[in-house]
Amino acid sequence: MTAKPLARRLPGSRSPSPDTPPLTSTLSGWGRAPVVPGVEIRDEDLRALTKDIPLVRGLGRAYGDAALPAPGDVAIAGSTRADRILSFDPTTGILRAEAGLSLDTICDLFLPRGFFTPITPGTRFVTLGGMVACDVHGKNHHVDGTFGRHVGALTVRTGTGQIVTCSPDRHADLFWATIGGMGLTGAVLDVTVRLTPIPSPWIFEERECMSDIDTFVTALKGAQATWPMTAGWIDCLSGGRSMGRGVILRGRWATAAEAPGPFPGGYRRPSVPFDFPEFALSRPTIRLFNDVFYLKHRRGSRRVVHPYTFFYPLDAIGRWTRMYGTRGFTQYQCVLPEAAGPDAPRRFLTALTSRGGASFLCVIKDCGAEGQGLLSFPRPGISIALDIPMRDHTQALIDALNEQVLREGGRIYLAKDALSRAEHYRAMDPRIGHFLDVRRHWDPDGRIRSAQSARLFGW
Amino acid sequence: MKVILVGATKGIGRAVARRLASRGASMSLLGRDKAELERSARDLEARGAAGRVVTALCDMADPDTFDAALASADADLDGFDTVVVTAAAFATQERLEAEPALLRRLLDTNFTNTILFCEAARKSLLSHGGGTLCVVSSVAGERGRKPVVLYGASKAGLSAYLEGLDHKFRPQGLVTVCVKPGFVTTSMTEGLPAPPLAGTPEAVAARIVRAIDRGTPVVYAPGIWALVMFVIRLLPRTVMRRVGF
């Protein structure tokens, strides 16, 4: 059965009839801010759905406004029902699947068979299409790059309505603009990616305390040659000599001999039952959390852990974004390039704390080579991610952080962004002009746009 | 388990098929779109179905396709023991009142043709010594209600048929399972405001598969609808005329 005509399903769509009621639903990203008028329409037939609605949303884990309708638009196509596996070859690990297939399902199905996604972000509640659109990276970026490096082909419905199969060898401009292109070059319909064979579904991890940011960065770089996966948590409130103290996390797949058994499956997740009041995440509570977390790990550890514990610690709590209260939060992630020198992370943290900024979670990671995606985020250097509660001064703080990143020659990650100004973002990345040329070529009428693209690119 | 499924490419049917595939069932998918059937078949194979998932063309709008489709599935599976029918049509009361042709199609699909298909499946199952016939009806068929007068009528007739089938043929080895979902968030109900007790296809599928395992003649999904419909069945007509649900 094909998708029902949109006009019949959606009061208040792009072409509302006079007798349709006004739209009252709203949408937001994972950070719960901003909140915009809009409605997500889902159907198993993503091909039919995207004829009418060119912008696609997956599981809604983009923190800001990347997967929200642009001003004046209402509908966004939800891909999560288009989640079929089209083929899997266990001899090569090549998986072809519809764009709405979730990483959670991939983990459930393929970890027991000895395969894992080549790249995973910090949550498994994302779709394949979203992983392509954000060109996600993970703890193994310094070894394996971004997700796009492992994608063999994409089927995309472009802004003209044409369905195009693209790959590094075929319509390569569309392919590399779609990798990390935030869904702006077309609706990703299906994805071909090579899964990685793993020796066991368990992770051997090592945690160690770092006394300050300089030691931390040195340790991250020192682990590059010997550990395929690294990342760390830093205490962004500590100052002086202990600025940027934290816990480094190093990991690798456990060998079959180290594995305590077969993949045990997922586990039940408790959920945050209500929105916390704003004082729950204030500087004093964040400082307390940071002190406890640091002290808990002061002796370090070496152990074999469940892969979800290693890769997806936040997924252990459902609806954890409620901890940030009804105003929500923004995640800010930037990469400070190697050329900025080893002191760049310290300068960035100083810029944050001097303006009263504080983050409950502050994640640091050394990035490897830049990917080929035209807007792909990572580049060689140090990436820092912050969760910043939405408050009256948050826009000013983001502006200040962006100015600091600009001074360092770095850039921000669009999958997280909600507040950056167009002039800041466009000054960060010389590749934007090329990306917009490709986007214009495949979507000359500018049909595909999001709230984020309208904010940053004007269309 | 050797299962024939009608309506497995979408919604509740897809969720049931995936649940059965994960248990290693042998499966045949019937439907009208060959390409869609094949894509779903490959998906189910990747999710654990035993062997190759086969497909056959079967259009619920065309009863002439039923016997051939069942025969094809029977031959491909080398016999079958379970038939699951989730294919159905839905439209709002307003549209059905305004569009007689749509109403006829819905009544044909949900009542006449589903029963014709079940009759063909019943005969085939009984010829193999019995089995399970599981069909998705709806809580909308429990009472005549204002928002679903016409859709509910089609499901009421189907539920009555399935109950009679169970009474008559269970002693001969044919187990009939009548599934009565409440509002389920599928593409069929997309755009409609979801009520508080709305279920997901996955949760409904879990109840359906459990009912097949146990041979439960009637199953509500989500389970809370059993209680809700118990109360609604007790309401006097004077109350039903006044309320809007």
Side-chain angles (χ1 to χ4, degrees), chain A residues 57-286:
Chain A
R57 175 184 172 103
L59 279 159
R61 256 51 177 193
Y63 282 76
D65 54 359
L68 299 181
D73 293 346
V74 170
I76 190 163
S79 67
T80 52
R81 287 184 183 144
D83 64 346
R84 287 180 292 194
I85 295 167
L86 302 175
S87 63
F88 177 69
D89 182 346
T91 59
T92 62
I94 292 177
L95 169 74
R96 181 166 172 255
E98 292 176 330
L101 182 68
S102 75
L103 180 54
D104 184 43
T105 301
I106 292 174
C107 289
D108 280 351
L109 290 177
F110 292 103
L111 272 171
R113 302 184 200 179
F115 288 94
F116 190 63
T117 176
I119 306 294
T120 179
T123 172
R124 64 188 188 279
F125 299 112
V126 291
T127 62
L128 274 179
M131 293 168 78
V132 167
C134 299
D135 195 17
V136 295
H137 61 278
K139 294 180 172 69
N140 58 346
H141 185 265
H142 61 285
V143 176
D144 295 316
T146 58
F147 191 68
R149 189 194 287 183
H150 308 271
V151 174
L154 299 170
T155 304
V156 176
R157 181 188 285 285
T158 68
T160 59
Q162 188 182 0
I163 291 180
V164 180
T165 299
C166 57
S167 69
D169 305 317
R170 191 176 174 195
H171 300 303
D173 62 333
L174 177 63
F175 180 81
W176 291 117
T178 304
I179 299 289
M182 306 308 295
L184 299 174
T185 55
V188 178
L189 301 177
D190 62 61
V191 178
T192 302
V193 61
R194 185 189 294 270
L195 301 185
T196 303
I198 52 175
S200 85
W202 297 85
I203 294 286
F204 180 87
E205 70 158 32
E206 185 178 275
R207 294 175 185 233
E208 185 182 358
C209 276
M210 297 289 125
S211 59
D212 60 65
I213 187 67
D214 303 318
T215 313
F216 210 131
V217 171
T218 303
L220 276 172
K221 291 188 180 302
Q224 281 184 352
T226 48
W227 290 91
M229 295 177 262
T230 61
W233 162 88
I234 54 178
D235 176 359
C236 66
L237 286 183
S238 57
R241 289 175 58 188
S242 62
M243 172 178 273
R245 67 176 181 169
V247 180
I248 190 172
L249 183 64
R250 310 178 186 100
R252 59 168 171 78
W253 290 104
T255 63
E258 291 168 332
F263 179 60
Y267 38 72
R268 278 188 170 275
R269 305 186 309 143
S271 209
V272 176
F274 54 83
D275 292 316
F276 281 18
E278 289 195 353
F279 64 81
L281 281 185
S282 55
R283 280 180 78 90
T285 56
I286 292 172

Side-chain angles (χ1 to χ4, degrees), chain A residues 1 44 81 83-85 113, chain B residues 11 14 40 43 46 187 190:
Chain A
M1 190 164 72
E44 286 89 347
R81 287 184 183 144
D83 64 346
R84 287 180 292 194
I85 295 167
R113 302 184 200 179
Chain B
R14 178 184 284 191
S40 288
D43 177 64
S187 300
E190 189 74 14

Side-chain angles (χ1 to χ4, degrees), chain B residues 86-98:
Chain B
T86 55
F90 175 80
T92 61
Q93 178 67 16
E94 292 73 21
R95 283 193 64 204
L96 292 170
E97 286 177 4

Side-chain angles (χ1 to χ4, degrees), chain B residues 215-230:
Chain B
T216 310
V218 178
V219 58
Y220 292 86
I224 186 68
W225 280 97
L227 180 62
V228 173
M229 297 318 298
F230 174 75

Side-chain angles (χ1 to χ4, degrees), chain A residues 335-337 339-341 343-345 347-348 403-410:
Chain A
V335 58
L336 305 168
D343 293 336
R347 290 194 295 272
F348 179 82
E403 283 160 11
Q404 180 65 27
V405 170
L406 270 169
R407 279 193 289 276
E408 304 288 3

